[in-house]
Structures are given as C-alpha cells and as structure tokens.
Amino acid sequence: MTNRKGSIERFETGENFYSQQFFGCHKMVQKEKNGYVFRVWAPKAQTIWLVGDFNEWNRSLSLKKDEQFGVWEIFTTKPKEGDFYKYLVKQEDGREVYKIDPFAVRFEKRPKDAAIIHTLPEKKWKDGLWQGRKKRSNYFKRPLNIYEVHASSWKCEEDGSPYTFHSLKDTLIPYVKEMGFSHIEFMPLMEHPLGMSWGYQLIGYFALCSYYGTTEEFQEFVEECHLNNIGVLIDWVPGHFCINDDALAYFDGTAQFEYTDEIRAKNIRWGSLNFDLSKPEVQSFLISSALYWIETFHIDGIRVDAVSNMLYLDYDDGPTILNPDGSNRNWDGYYFLQKLNAVIKQAHPDLIMIAEESSSETKITGTIESGALGFDYKWNLGWMNDTLCFYEMDVVFRKYNFHLITFSFMYMMNENYILPLSHDEVVHGKRSLMHKMWGDRYKQFSQLRNLYVYMMTHPGKKLLFMGSEWGQFLEWKYDEHLEWIDLDDEMNHNMQHFTQILNTFYKNERALWELDHIFETIEIIDADNSEETVLSFIRKGKAKKDFLIIILNFTPIERKDFVIGVPFSGKYEEVLNTEMKEYGGTWTASNPVSETIAEPFKQFDHQIQTIVPALGAIILKPKEINTRSKKK
C-alpha cells in the first residue's frame, strides 16, 4: 500500500519518472491468483469499465476509484496475453466514450486502435562495448553525421506494406554502414493513427507503432546498430498530441492532459491539442515516456520536436493569450524543458538531447544554470533556410545575395548546432533537394555535390534526409518507398557514390569535428568575393598541421589561377574535387600540388594558385609545410 500511495503521490507532484511501471496493464498475483491489474488516471470521470476480448466488450468489469487521487484500478483474472482492451469512460458530463490506455505498450494495427495486453520480456543486451565506448567519449568532439529516416517509407514490400524493423535490420543497417553515416534518426516511432501525420500526432507514448513491428524487433534493430557502430536517435513530441476522441483528448471529459483555456489548448497549425506542461501529472507522464524509450530500447539520443511551440504563447496561428505584462514566453514550457533535460541528463549523461527550434530569443543549448534549456544541440534552421534559398537562386543573382551563404559564420557559435537538410524541406511542393538546384540536370548534380561539401565543412554536426544522398528528383511521399529505381541511372549512382566518399572523408578528417563548437575550428580566408561568388575558409583540428582549405565556387564559370591565402609556406595537395568523373563530373585528373608564393593575401603572408571547377568545390590539405612561418 505504501508503494502504491508513493507512486501516485510522486505522479501527482510531477516526480514519478517511471509512472508506466504503476499505470497501465501489469501482470499481478493477488490472493494466490494470477491476473492483471489495470490502472488509469481520470480524476473527473464518473465511472470507468474495462472492456475487451475477455468479457465480450461488456460492462461487467468496473474499475474502483481512489477518491483522493483520481486513480482508477481493477484486478481481474479474466484477461490473457494478447487480448485486446479499452476503457469505457463515463465522463464528467455523463457522456460515455471508449478510450485507449494512455500507458499501453502495444496496439493493434491501424485503422484499429485497441490496446493489446503484452508483458515485455527482459532483454539481455549484447551492446556493452558500444555503451562503454559511448560513456568514455565526448560526442561534442566526435563526428556526428545523421541519416534521417521515415521508417515506413524507406523501403516497402512488394504488396506496398512497409518494411518492419525485422526487415530493416537486414537492409537499412548495412546500407547506413556502407554509406558512412554515424547515426540513424527516426521520425516518431510511437503509435499514431494517421500515416499522413508522419508520426507527429501521437496516441501511444509508450508503444512502438504497430505498423513498424514489435517492441522486441525494434530492440533487436537497435542492438544490431550498436554492434555495427551506428547510433540511433528518435523524434519525440511532448508539445502536442492527437485530437482523436478515443485517445488522450479530454480523457475524463475535462481538460485533463490539455490546457483548461481552450485557446491555449488548441493547436490550430497542426490540428492537435497542446499538453498543459504546468500540470505535475503531465510532467510525470511525458518524462516517463522519454525515459521509457531511452531505457527500453537503448536509444542514444532524442530530438524534441516543435520546441518553439512550447516556448512561445503566440507561436500558433489564430488567437493567442499572452502574459499579463504582454510578453509571449510560455514559462510552463520553458521550465518543463529544463526539467526534462535535467532529469534525463542525471540518469543518462551520455544521451544526446536535440531541439528542433526556430527562434533566436531563447538560449537552447548549454547548462540550465546559465539560463539555457539544457539541450546538447539545436537544429540550425536559419542556416538551412538561407542556404537552400541561395542554392535555388539563379546564378546571375547569387553575387548580390552572397550574404545568404556567409551570414551563418556570424552566429555559428551562438549554439551547438546541427545543420539539417531534413524531411521538412522535400515535401509540400518545396521540391526535393535535387529539384531545388538551378539549371539543367548536370548542373543540378554539380550543385548538390557543392551543397553537401558546404554542409560537411561548415562548423556544426550534420543531418541528411533519406533519398537525398543520391539526389532523388521526386518529392518524398510518406506512403510510398523511395525511388530506388533512380540508382539504375548513372548520374544518381555517381551521386550516391560521392555522398559515401564525402561521409567517409568527414569521419576521417578530425579538422571537421574535433573543435566543432569553438571559434578556433575555423578561419575565414575570403568571404567577401561576391563578384566571383567564391567562398574560401579553413577548418582546423587540434594539431597545428591538421587543417583543411575549402574553396566553393557558386557560379558555372571555372576559376583558373584562383588565388587564396594560406597560413604556412610549403605545398598543398587537393584531396577532394566534386567535379571528378567518378562523382558525375568531367574532370579526369585532380589539380596538381600547389606551392606557396611569398606574397600577402589578406591576413596571410603566403598564397597559392589553383583551379576551382565551375559550380564545384575543392578541398586542399597541407602536404609539406613550414609551421614556423608566420602570418600577419
């Protein structure tokens, strides 16, 4: 009784971070009888019945209410593993509604939506080496190159049904390993009733979407990823939830999970409901969900979706309610996010916490003590918007808008950033990354290679959405698999090969990630050459000789005898050229080794000359240099 009362009290004070171990459906022995106990929080409900296969969906099983806490409970010997069940809730106004179990761990396949009684067996994990290495390493100083995946549209079976994680284990993991990505990030995997929502409108915060297979299959998938040195990240949506009548929405007939004020409760932009993040019970529920995914599946990181929606009262469309002083900060969301990060980091210091956040008014990454929210990384949506706007532009106008490609250097250290080329940019008529590029098909591939070099060499971690690695021309379709047939085309095949080479190059070059989040990682050579529209800069590692020189040409004009400054005298060799024939370009040989000339160039005492291909990018590396030579 003490444990029961303690679990409820911690839940009601926002401190029960394992509330799924008490609520939901659990095996139990009572008076020497084997059965199941069902518990649900619904303080304003009049009556709740447990209905399912085991009682022919009738009202024979009534739950008993704890009046002090608003928790309903029943023990029964009738159900068995695999049975379907729901709650029939007589709400405060007398309306009777079938509701799902908010803590259910398995559901039947949509469009059906009953929960399934399931006891998850304890798994004996085999990823100890991965976990140990993760604890000893500093992910800020390691390569982080994410392959973003929508699980049900990466590949499909011949009948159109999506691959489950059983099939993805044998296909996606070898592919990601071969391509050289360090992590897979999945769009939300939790139970959701509408595929069109891509998983961002949830009903089951503790259940793997039945469309994707079983809990055990996903555990095996993550384990296999770790055995192949691949990390797994997941998207998670604590800000808003599905408005469906049989789910969390107005569960007991009142604003139970959502805000009492209808304006704050409604999320007009996404047609959903906002969690009342000030409620202790909601905090317990959501943090329990996050820890459940981390610990049940050995997840390596969580990307929290739509953080701006939780931070600002006027983020949504339509009417808003501001603070009494007229400010727009949603303090409920602000303090919840700090609490979320504090709890998770205390339990799992090596877990990566990522925010998808679009404003610059709140410090997102950094310590909570400094006033930040406590995230490790933030998606750099400003970089993404400016960059894609620039690459979509006719080359004639690029020199007048050169700031779009250079402005990010002004704020690149304001947060710990991930540079995302995500799913959001290849849907809703925005066109695929390939289709965004200016010019004919050859020029589009040239610029796509150029874009990926710019992303890989710019400070910040990396993310690329599936299909973009080979330049899929069609927009992403959530209900169909990727256009794998593209790879029969030589240009797409060469593009995929280039992405693989670039990923490997990124992983092997410490200068591209070792000092990623401090200013010492980069030195601008020339960000003012708008007339020729060529950008050049240096990326540096810890060692003095460990640096790369990056030159990007954003015009279809080959720049012969192109001059740049270099930090040391000596020889520099080309280590990557986007216009090599093997990548889909026309060059059959690399630039020759460049020797320095003792003439000044901006802050440098030495310079070199090279050829920069049209719409191409080249990367140079010191071959024989004198590090005792000084720059101005």
Side-chain angles (χ1 to χ4, degrees):
M1 185 68 182
T2 303
N3 289 338
R4 179 185 183 281
K5 183 178 180 181
S7 294
I8 298 175
E9 287 180 340
R10 290 194 304 276
F11 179 75
E12 295 213 328
T13 56
E15 299 298 323
N16 189 340
F17 306 135
Y18 294 91
S19 51
Q20 79 281 359
Q21 295 178 2
F22 178 77
F23 291 98
C25 170
H26 301 280
K27 274 185 177 180
M28 188 176 182
V29 179
Q30 193 173 97
K31 296 180 180 178
E32 299 182 352
K33 291 184 178 180
N34 295 316
Y36 291 86
V37 62
F38 295 80
R39 299 188 186 100
V40 63
W41 172 59
K44 296 297 178 66
Q46 293 188 34
T47 309
I48 298 181
W49 295 275
L50 175 66
V51 297
D53 293 341
F54 40 83
N55 66 350
E56 298 181 346
W57 301 87
N58 63 40
R59 304 179 186 219
S60 60
L61 297 173
S62 299
L63 280 72
K64 184 178 179 180
K65 183 181 183 181
D66 183 322
E67 295 292 345
Q68 180 182 357
F69 299 110
V71 174
W72 298 76
E73 182 175 331
I74 187 174
F75 171 81
T76 173
T77 59
K78 290 188 176 182
K80 64 181 184 300
E81 286 285 306
D83 281 350
F84 298 149
Y85 75 98
K86 283 188 178 184
Y87 295 118
L88 176 57
V89 180
K90 186 175 184 180
Q91 297 179 323
E92 186 185 45
D93 62 357
R95 180 170 173 255
E96 295 182 0
V97 184
Y98 287 99
K99 289 284 189 179
I100 65 165
D101 181 355
F103 290 90
V105 296
R106 183 168 288 185
F107 287 86
E108 59 182 334
K109 284 190 176 180
R110 61 182 187 233
K112 298 180 179 180
D113 56 6
I116 300 175
I117 295 174
H118 179 67
T119 303
L120 184 65
E122 186 174 348
K123 177 173 174 57
K124 294 182 179 179
W125 288 85
K126 303 173 184 176
D127 62 349
L129 187 61
W130 167 270
Q131 298 294 348
R133 187 165 55 245
K134 189 169 69 171
K135 284 181 171 65
R136 292 189 300 272
S137 65
N138 182 344
Y139 47 78
F140 290 113
K141 298 179 180 180
R142 297 291 302 161
L144 181 60
N145 186 12
I146 302 165
Y147 186 57
E148 189 189 23
V149 173
H150 180 250
S152 58
S153 61
W154 187 72
K155 271 190 179 179
C156 294
E157 304 287 358
E158 290 184 4
D159 63 0
S161 61
Y163 275 17
T164 65
F165 275 104
H166 178 73
S167 297
L168 288 173
K169 185 179 76 169
D170 298 327
T171 51
L172 177 58
I173 294 173
Y175 180 77
V176 169
K177 185 175 182 179
E178 180 184 7
M179 288 299 298
F181 292 98
S182 67
H183 288 69
I184 303 170
E185 180 179 320
F186 287 106
M187 294 161 68
L189 301 177
M190 300 81 191
E191 190 62 69
H192 53 280
L194 182 65
M196 193 181 295
S197 79
W198 313 336
Y200 291 102
Q201 293 198 9
L202 305 178
I203 61 172
Y205 276 77
F206 297 85
L208 179 77
C209 180
S210 54
Y211 222 52
Y212 302 151
T214 66
T215 302
E216 294 85 343
E217 286 174 338
F218 185 49
Q219 286 179 323
E220 291 173 3
F221 176 89
V222 174
E223 181 176 73
E224 188 67 19
C225 280
H226 290 170
L227 294 175
N228 284 275
N229 294 318
I230 298 169
V232 180
L233 315 172
I234 59 169
D235 284 8
W236 180 64
V237 192
H240 61 101
F241 58 94
C242 182
I243 202 168
N244 284 16
D245 199 34
D246 61 350
L248 297 180
Y250 299 99
F251 195 88
D252 63 5
T254 67
Q256 184 177 328
F257 287 91
E258 52 280 276
Y259 284 101
T260 303
D261 187 284
E262 192 171 299
I263 291 177
R264 292 192 68 183
K266 281 188 176 179
N267 192 312
I268 297 171
R269 181 177 299 189
W270 293 309
S272 56
L273 289 167
N274 294 319
F275 278 109
D276 184 347
L277 299 173
S278 71
K279 287 184 178 177
E281 298 90 345
V282 170
Q283 294 173 10
S284 290
F285 175 79
L286 289 173
I287 295 176
S288 294
S289 169
L291 285 172
Y292 171 82
W293 284 88
I294 293 165
E295 295 175 1
T296 302
F297 300 104
H298 282 204
I299 295 302
D300 301 293
I302 289 178
R303 191 206 73 148
V304 180
D305 181 66
V307 168
S308 295
N309 180 62
M310 291 183 273
L311 286 179
Y312 304 108
L313 297 170
D314 56 354
Y315 182 77
D316 192 20
D317 300 328
T320 58
I321 297 176
L322 300 179
N323 294 315
D325 63 358
S327 61
N328 68 343
R329 170 64 56 81
N330 181 1
W331 292 106
D332 299 338
Y334 181 88
Y335 290 124
F336 167 75
L337 290 167
Q338 285 189 327
K339 180 177 181 178
L340 168 73
N341 283 312
V343 171
I344 288 178
K345 283 298 184 178
Q346 184 176 29
H348 302 280
D350 54 352
L351 190 99
I352 302 173
M353 292 296 292
I354 304 167
E356 188 261 338
E357 204 277 326
S358 56
S359 77
S360 58
E361 298 171 32
T362 302
K363 190 75 167 68
I364 304 299
T365 61
T367 64
I368 294 170
E369 292 77 11
S370 69
L373 293 182
F375 285 96
D376 296 307
Y377 293 105
K378 171 183 174 176
W379 274 20
N380 193 339
L381 299 177
W383 173 88
M384 177 205 62
N385 286 321
D386 287 350
T387 297
L388 292 181
C389 180
F390 183 82
Y391 276 89
E392 289 181 67
M393 190 177 295
D394 190 304
V395 294
V396 173
F397 303 108
R398 288 180 179 175
K399 67 179 181 180
Y400 306 112
N401 294 276
F402 202 45
H403 65 281
L404 290 173
I405 213 70
T406 61
F407 177 62
S408 58
F409 294 125
M410 302 294 292
Y411 65 86
M412 61 187 173
M413 298 302 164
N414 287 2
E415 304 269 11
N416 298 330
Y417 286 117
I418 289 176
L419 309 179
L421 295 174
S422 72
H423 67 276
D424 278 323
E425 303 315 305
V426 295
V427 289
H428 300 323
K430 294 180 182 178
R431 299 172 296 170
S432 67
L433 293 183
M434 170 66 177
H435 196 182
K436 292 178 195 289
M437 301 297 108
W438 167 87
D440 59 32
R441 193 162 185 256
Y442 179 87
K443 292 184 176 72
Q444 286 178 322
F445 275 111
S446 294
Q447 289 169 101
L448 198 61
R449 295 191 295 270
N450 184 303
L451 167 62
Y452 291 173
V453 169
Y454 174 61
M455 176 178 72
M456 281 296 181
T457 56
H458 190 291
K461 307 307 184 185
K462 327 298 175 187
L463 179 142
L464 187 67
F465 184 60
M466 63 183 195
S468 302
E469 68 270 24
W470 70 72
Q472 178 171 304
F473 187 80
L474 296 179
E475 277 194 338
W476 168 56
K477 301 174 184 177
Y478 75 92
D479 54 351
E480 297 180 18
H481 63 63
L482 296 176
E483 299 289 323
W484 292 96
I485 195 172
D486 287 351
L487 294 175
D488 293 339
D489 182 276
E490 184 180 9
M491 296 183 79
N492 288 111
H493 180 79
N494 289 339
M495 183 69 217
Q496 184 191 46
H497 172 60
F498 172 77
T499 304
Q500 179 188 34
I501 294 297
L502 185 62
N503 286 347
T504 303
F505 183 83
Y506 168 72
K507 182 169 59 178
N508 291 339
E509 294 294 337
R510 302 177 73 90
L512 295 178
W513 41 262
E514 195 171 36
L515 305 176
D516 223 1
H517 303 299
I518 59 174
F519 281 106
E520 287 75 11
T521 190
I522 190 168
E523 183 174 6
I524 303 297
I525 298 175
D526 192 356
D528 302 317
N529 189 354
S530 58
E531 187 60 36
E532 292 181 293
T533 324
V534 178
L535 173 65
S536 54
F537 56 90
I538 302 172
R539 285 299 307 274
K540 302 176 182 180
K542 284 183 179 179
K544 199 171 186 180
K545 292 184 177 181
D546 186 13
F547 65 90
L548 299 170
I549 295 172
I550 297 94
I551 311 173
L552 300 123
N553 181 4
F554 302 109
T555 71
I557 302 169
E558 183 175 274
R559 302 298 178 185
K560 297 181 183 296
D561 301 323
F562 188 79
V563 177
I564 61 165
V566 293
F568 304 110
S569 63
K571 297 179 180 180
Y572 293 82
E573 64 178 335
E574 184 178 275
V575 291
L576 187 74
N577 185 324
T578 60
E579 283 302 299
M580 297 302 294
K581 194 168 184 179
E582 66 172 305
Y583 306 142
T586 57
W587 284 42
T588 56
S590 300
N591 273 305
V593 172
S594 300
E595 290 198 46
T596 55
I597 305 168
E599 293 184 14
F601 184 96
K602 294 203 170 186
Q603 75 269 32
F604 303 100
D605 286 335
H606 304 88
Q607 59 178 245
I608 59 172
Q609 288 186 352
T610 189
I611 301 173
V612 188
L615 294 173
I618 62 173
I619 300 178
L620 308 177
K621 194 172 184 177
K623 186 176 183 181
E624 298 174 15
I625 58 172
N626 176 15
T627 57
R628 292 192 298 267
S629 60
K630 296 180 180 179
K631 63 183 180 182
K632 290 182 182 178

